[in-house]
Amino acid sequence: MSVAVPDAQRRLVERLHQRLLEQAHGHGVERIETHLSWVLVTPTEAFKVKKAVDLGFVDQRGREARRQACETEVRLNRRTAPSLYLGVRGIDASGQWVLPDDRQAVDHAVHMRRFDPAATLDRLLAPGGGVGAKVAEAWVDQLVDQVVAMHAQARHVTHGGLIDDLRRATHETHASWRAVCDGPEQWDRVDSVLHAIAEREQALDGQCRQRRSDGFVRECHGDLHLGNVCVFEGQVTVFDAIDFCEPLRTLDVMNDLAFVLMDLLVRDQPQLAWRALSRYLDATGDHAGVPLLASAMAWRALVRLKVARLTGGPEGDAWAERYLSGAIRLLSPRQPVLVAMQGVSGSGKSAVSQRLLAWLGAIRLRSDVERHRLHNVNEPNGYSTEARDVVYDALFDRAEGLLRAGHRVVLDATFLHLDQRERVRELAERLQVPWAWVQCEAPVEVMLARLAARQGDASEADGRVLMQQLAAFPKPFGEDEQPRLMHVSTTLPLSHWDAPASWLPLWRLLGLSPPQPDQAPV
């Protein structure tokens, strides 16, 4: 290893800094130094120069190695932030810009546009940040859509990708973890989390290796926490993917997603975390990967603990404790439960169930989403009895897999037919999990107005479909089903369902202790 930066490179960066100051016309040029690079920030641009160091997991001592690192950084980050990453610039010995492949280039820099450092999601979504719920939800939706698109186009990798591979890449040992802990008590807790993660890894080893064979290990982002997501020109933008160490970005896609989910949960944003997971699963259908999330999120929490401890100071210590407590909660077993939303088209099932996810800590399965995945709904038979049965079969197959893995499930479908509702009861009783119904109701005129105003929804049901449903099933539930039923009026403001007290009847039906307002379910 070689951590000392050559004097010649320090002088080169100083010359470049002076050139940029001359061009800034009286404005300052900030110089930020990390263990891997310098970043020179002008009023409108930023330039990152890689340090000529060897830290074991990355060797940037050679000029060509640094150039390749710059090109890799631009390539990776243009997947999600093409407007931020402008390209690679060459630097000659006098500190002037030249073309990257110019023979006069003695070093290289990543050329970026500047963004407001206060516009990252870790700051914008902090308590007291003044961001409304609708804006925060829209940002999370944009973030998930970017991650889905990045994962879809990411290069598939047939080696590495397991948490143990990541540990080897960073040379993690029990001694290295102990060294960053604040005393024996914190180390004992970290050690217990490490053991729990290892046990889960062993239990899931076969599935993880099969997922790698099936193409779920890809060249991902690798460092997808909220500090690496900004709002730039009004758009949520993911940046700063790991470019310096391929094994750290070679991940199962669920491990990549786990970072942002963990960060939202630890930062007391369960509504946004479960919204993000629901949206990702709706888009990808990768429900089979959900069992990997708990250990991946816990490991990511420990990674952030290490960063916080290395940052130091009271704030760093506080964040370290917060991440450690989060890791422990993430690994704590929970009682799986099954909740089925019931109601005709336009009754508000999806809007209300979205609110339920946060307090229940559940994964939602929507019949409309599965219908799109399985059928072309524009075809005449898209809503046929046969097509409907295939959709419900898929719903129950996914639900059973998630329940067996210890997760909580919310089924979102009309459930107008008795045979469909019987399947809910049969599944819950066979797996011996608590279960309940949530029936969504609204006046007919309200439901008709909702259907007429729908845009971009997974359901194509219209007013005609609604009237047919109401005529055929005026009272879908029988007397024997009523004891497991919670009635919900969806004309109440959606914010009503953000309060845990609004769900007290459901907690009673499920035999669960109601969550406290200051507790984020994980």
Side-chain angles (χ1 to χ4, degrees):
M1 289 180 40
S2 175
V3 298
V5 179
D7 290 340
Q9 192 184 34
R10 287 192 178 276
R11 289 192 295 269
L12 177 67
V13 171
E14 181 61 37
R15 287 193 290 271
L16 177 60
H17 192 183
Q18 291 302 316
R19 300 277 188 190
L20 292 173
L21 281 170
E22 293 167 5
Q23 298 166 11
H25 304 295
H27 296 284
V29 176
E30 184 181 7
R31 179 160 62 182
I32 303 168
E33 185 170 356
T34 72
H35 61 297
L36 279 176
S37 62
W38 293 277
V39 184
L40 304 177
V41 185
T42 78
T44 59
E45 299 170 296
F47 302 92
K48 182 187 291 186
V49 180
K50 310 286 185 180
K51 285 184 175 179
V53 294
D54 175 12
L55 301 184
F57 60 91
V58 56
D59 185 352
Q60 300 179 157
R61 288 172 297 178
R63 180 178 65 86
E64 188 58 29
R66 296 195 297 281
R67 173 182 174 173
Q68 289 179 5
C70 289
E71 292 173 346
T72 299
E73 180 173 352
V74 171
R75 174 181 65 83
L76 292 171
N77 287 289
R78 275 185 171 169
R79 299 179 300 181
T80 56
S83 57
L84 271 184
Y85 287 79
L86 301 177
V88 178
R89 304 283 292 270
I91 312 168
D92 71 10
S94 67
Q96 295 274 23
W97 297 122
V98 294
L99 293 174
D101 56 357
D102 193 306
R103 289 196 300 179
Q104 301 300 315
V106 296
D107 221 321
H108 295 82
V110 174
H111 184 197
M112 300 176 62
R113 294 175 68 186
R114 178 179 181 163
F115 64 89
D116 183 357
T120 52
L121 289 195
D122 60 334
R123 300 186 181 189
L124 294 174
L125 297 179
V131 175
K134 288 187 177 180
V135 172
E137 289 171 359
W139 284 346
V140 166
D141 288 351
Q142 289 182 37
L143 167 59
V144 172
D145 292 347
Q146 278 204 25
V147 174
V148 167
M150 176 185 65
H151 287 174
Q153 67 173 316
R155 178 174 60 90
H156 292 201
V157 180
T158 57
H159 60 278
L162 309 181
I163 292 182
D164 197 45
D165 296 310
L166 303 181
R167 277 198 292 264
R168 282 195 293 271
T170 54
H171 306 290
E172 285 183 21
T173 63
H174 275 61
S176 65
W177 279 112
R178 188 184 294 108
V180 301
C181 289
D182 184 19
E185 190 273 338
Q186 188 176 79
W187 160 242
D188 286 343
R189 295 160 68 207
V190 168
D191 188 41
S192 68
V193 172
L194 290 171
H195 276 94
I197 292 173
E199 288 177 359
R200 285 177 178 254
E201 282 181 69
Q202 186 175 6
L204 294 169
D205 183 69
Q207 181 182 1
C208 291
R209 294 179 185 279
Q210 184 60 51
R211 283 177 62 81
R212 182 169 60 188
S213 298
D214 293 341
F216 289 99
V217 171
R218 301 173 189 172
E219 187 179 47
C220 297
H221 184 280
D223 200 20
L224 197 57
H225 59 82
L226 295 179
N228 283 341
V229 186
C230 68
V231 178
F232 180 69
E233 296 182 338
Q235 296 296 314
V236 171
T237 303
V238 176
F239 67 97
D240 209 18
I242 290 182
D243 60 272
F244 54 83
C245 183
E246 183 177 358
L248 293 183
R249 64 177 184 268
T250 301
L251 309 166
D252 189 297
V253 291
M254 276 297 170
N255 194 330
D256 208 35
L257 178 69
F259 214 148
V260 71
L261 297 178
M262 177 280 299
D263 220 7
L264 286 168
L265 287 168
V266 168
R267 293 172 184 274
D268 296 331
Q269 297 285 356
Q271 186 75 41
L272 298 178
W274 294 103
R275 182 186 185 91
L277 178 57
S278 177
R279 190 175 184 89
Y280 184 89
L281 295 175
D282 283 352
T284 65
D286 188 16
H287 298 84
V290 169
L292 281 62
L293 278 176
S295 55
M297 287 193 292
W299 184 76
R300 293 297 190 179
L302 289 188
V303 169
R304 295 307 291 170
L305 174 150
K306 182 181 291 188
V307 172
R309 287 288 300 147
L310 293 174
T311 300
E315 185 176 3
D317 290 343
W319 273 108
E321 178 58 32
R322 194 167 184 174
Y323 280 116
L324 178 53
S325 298
I328 293 170
R329 291 200 313 272
L330 286 161
L331 291 169
S332 300
R334 296 188 307 148
Q335 170 65 59
V337 299
L338 178 62
V339 175
M341 310 295 295
Q342 192 280 328
V344 294
S345 299
S347 60
K349 299 184 301 298
S350 296
V352 171
S353 65
Q354 180 68 70
R355 265 56 194 176
L356 172 60
L357 296 183
W359 291 115
L360 190 60
I363 294 167
R364 183 174 60 172
L365 300 170
R366 296 180 61 193
S367 60
D368 291 324
V369 171
E370 294 306 315
R371 185 178 298 110
H372 274 271
R373 208 186 316 280
L374 295 168
H375 302 288
N376 180 355
V377 295
N378 294 318
E379 293 179 355
N381 64 348
Y383 282 93
S384 66
T385 300
E386 293 77 11
R388 183 201 70 195
D389 291 343
V390 171
V391 169
Y392 276 87
D393 286 345
L395 281 181
F396 284 104
D397 284 346
R398 291 186 188 277
E400 180 165 352
L402 292 169
L403 290 167
R404 287 188 180 279
H407 296 278
R408 297 177 176 180
V409 176
V410 172
L411 294 176
D412 179 351
T414 58
F415 285 111
L416 295 172
H417 296 269
L418 178 60
D419 63 320
Q420 298 163 350
R421 298 198 300 277
E422 278 295 302
R423 292 185 69 176
V424 173
R425 179 192 60 78
E426 185 277 331
L427 175 62
E429 292 182 353
R430 178 161 49 85
L431 299 184
Q432 298 183 325
V433 299
W435 63 284
W437 288 100
V438 175
Q439 184 180 34
C440 295
E441 301 167 313
V444 174
E445 60 272 18
V446 172
M447 295 190 289
L448 287 171
R450 288 171 178 167
L451 294 175
R454 272 182 176 174
Q455 289 184 345
D457 191 83
S459 173
E460 288 80 15
D462 55 17
R464 178 182 57 83
V465 171
L466 170 61
M467 300 312 293
Q468 290 173 347
Q469 292 172 343
L470 292 173
F473 305 95
K475 293 182 179 180
F477 282 100
E479 289 187 10
D480 59 328
E481 296 175 293
Q482 295 292 329
R484 290 192 176 271
L485 185 61
M486 175 183 175
H487 293 276
V488 164
S489 172
T490 61
T491 55
L492 292 169
L494 281 178
S495 58
H496 174 80
W497 305 108
D498 288 333
S502 301
W503 295 102
L504 283 176
L506 182 61
W507 307 139
R508 295 191 191 104
L509 290 172
L510 296 172
L512 298 178
S513 299
Q516 299 302 310
D518 61 345
Q519 290 179 342
V522 293

